[in-house]
């Protein structure tokens, strides 16, 4: 039997690339001995680690989207990694799947219900200053670790990490596993740095299974 692999997956919930990669990795985890630690990396903190509220002129939405990570870390605080994962799925399906306005109260309520979380969790997170502190600290820790952005995958407890994979469609079945085998091999090759190609794949809405 293959040895279980524990991964750290870094994401910004507003990043569609991270969303698609997370769907793929969830599919792989159903077939391979993989466990995933879901970790937030706010792009606003990546833009300005000293003061995320200053943001970047070309990506002002990152500052706004920072707030979406606060319910995620509160969900984890209350229900562990699985609760954060469930809310990540609900948010991702709404933002990147249905293209819903995540800032509408009804959409937030629907996401919390879909994740099996208390109806007050969103408001509780935004009124608890410790959730802001936690998102900042976790994002800075990722950057100090060497994470280059979202999505990123690392083998827990090691220096083995990669930015991506960036995918324009989410594979399933044997194709998903074949991609994982390639990514896993790259993770284990410490002198491998980067491969890149033009983005020509059609981008479509993607829902978690």
């Amino acid at each position: 039997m293959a040895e279980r692999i524990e991964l750290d997956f870094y994401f910004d919930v507003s990043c569609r690339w991270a969303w698609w990669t997370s769907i793929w990795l969830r599919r792989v985890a159903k077939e391979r001995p993989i466990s995933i630690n879901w970790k937030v990396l706010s792009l606003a903190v990546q833009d300005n680690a000293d003061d995320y509220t200053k943001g970047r002129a070309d990506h002002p939405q990152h500052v706004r989207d920072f707030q979406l990570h606060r319910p995620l870390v509160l969900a984890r605080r209350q229900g562990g990694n699985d609760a954060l994962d469930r809310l990540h799925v609900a948010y991702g399906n709404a933002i990147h799947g249905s293209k819903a306005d995540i800032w509408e109260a009804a959409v937030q309520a629907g996401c919390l219900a879909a994740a099996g979380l208390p109806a007050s969790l969103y408001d509780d997170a935004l009124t608890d200053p410790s959730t802001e502190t936690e998102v900042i600290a976790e994002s800075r820790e990722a950057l100090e670790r060497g994470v280059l952005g979202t999505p990123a995958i690392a083998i827990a407890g090691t220096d083995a990490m990669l930015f991506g994979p960036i995918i324009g469609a989410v594979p399933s079945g044997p194709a998903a596993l074949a991609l994982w085998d390639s990514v896993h091999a790259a993770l284990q090759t410490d002198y491998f740095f980067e491969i890149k190609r033009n983005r020509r794949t059609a981008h479509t809405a993607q829902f978690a299974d």
Side-chain angles (χ1 to χ4, degrees), residues 29-107:
K30 293 177 181 178
E31 304 293 334
R32 295 288 174 83
I34 294 170
S35 59
I36 306 166
N37 302 317
W38 301 100
K39 294 182 173 290
V40 300
L41 170 53
S42 165
L43 292 175
V45 177
Q46 184 177 29
D47 291 344
N48 192 323
D50 293 327
D51 183 358
Y52 80 88
T53 64
K54 292 181 178 178
R56 283 172 48 183
D58 55 338
H59 292 297
Q61 73 277 14
H62 291 172
V63 174
R64 176 201 63 188
D65 295 338
F66 175 95
Q67 305 304 328
L68 293 174
H69 296 92
R70 297 176 67 178
L72 286 164
V73 298
L74 184 57
R76 181 176 59 198
R77 194 183 299 172
Q78 295 182 355
N81 186 64
D82 183 63
L84 185 153
D85 183 27
R86 296 196 309 271
L87 186 55
H88 182 202
V89 168
Y91 275 170
N93 282 335
I95 297 168
H96 306 291
S98 301
K99 309 295 184 182
D101 183 353
I102 196 62
W103 305 107
E104 289 187 359
V107 175

Side-chain angles (χ1 to χ4, degrees), residues 105-123:
V107 175
Q108 279 288 341
C111 288
L112 292 172
L117 295 169
S120 64
L121 186 137
Y122 177 76
D123 291 334

Side-chain angles (χ1 to χ4, degrees), residues 40 73-74 76-77 129-139:
V40 300
V73 298
L74 184 57
R76 181 176 59 198
R77 194 183 299 172
S130 72
T131 61
E132 179 184 39
T133 301
E134 187 170 347
V135 173
I136 293 171
E138 188 163 324
S139 299

Side-chain angles (χ1 to χ4, degrees), residues 151-172:
I153 299 175
I155 297 177
T158 76
D159 294 330
M161 104 181 42
L162 290 174
F163 172 66
I166 303 297
I167 53 178
V170 183
S172 60

